Amino acid sequence: MSDTHIDVCALDPPEPMERVLDALSTLNQNGRLAVLIDREPHPLYRILDRNGYRHSIELRDDHRYNLYIWSDA
């Protein structure tokens, strides 16, 4: 699985969500999107679930998050 990395820290809503969705539209089938974000994106989770994406998130020591998104399709 290859990762595509994006950093959406310090962007005002809804730009982080828009950038994540744009990046997902170009992700290859075996790829995973790795997102660095400064808040947990609760509204995005519903969109991902509705569209068949899986995700995991981990809190970093610097109080930002690593969000990983991939498709099982």
Side-chain angles (χ1 to χ4, degrees):
M1 185 178 292
S2 62
D3 286 354
T4 299
H5 296 265
I6 62 171
D7 181 346
V8 297
C9 291
L11 298 176
D12 291 327
E15 194 168 358
M17 185 184 306
E18 291 169 348
R19 290 206 183 172
V20 168
L21 295 176
D22 286 345
L24 285 175
S25 71
T26 63
L27 199 62
N28 68 43
Q29 187 174 11
N30 294 323
R32 180 173 74 163
L33 183 61
V35 182
L36 179 61
I37 190 165
D38 54 4
R39 62 181 87 60
E40 194 167 2
H42 292 284
L44 177 62
Y45 297 152
R46 289 187 298 274
I47 294 169
L48 295 174
D49 291 342
R50 251 193 329 248
N51 289 295
Y53 288 100
R54 304 209 21 161
H55 54 85
S56 67
I57 193 161
E58 57 189 34
L59 179 60
R60 299 164 36 123
D61 291 337
D62 62 3
H63 303 286
R64 296 186 293 175
Y65 295 87
N66 289 323
L67 170 63
Y68 300 99
I69 305 168
W70 67 95
S71 175
D72 282 339

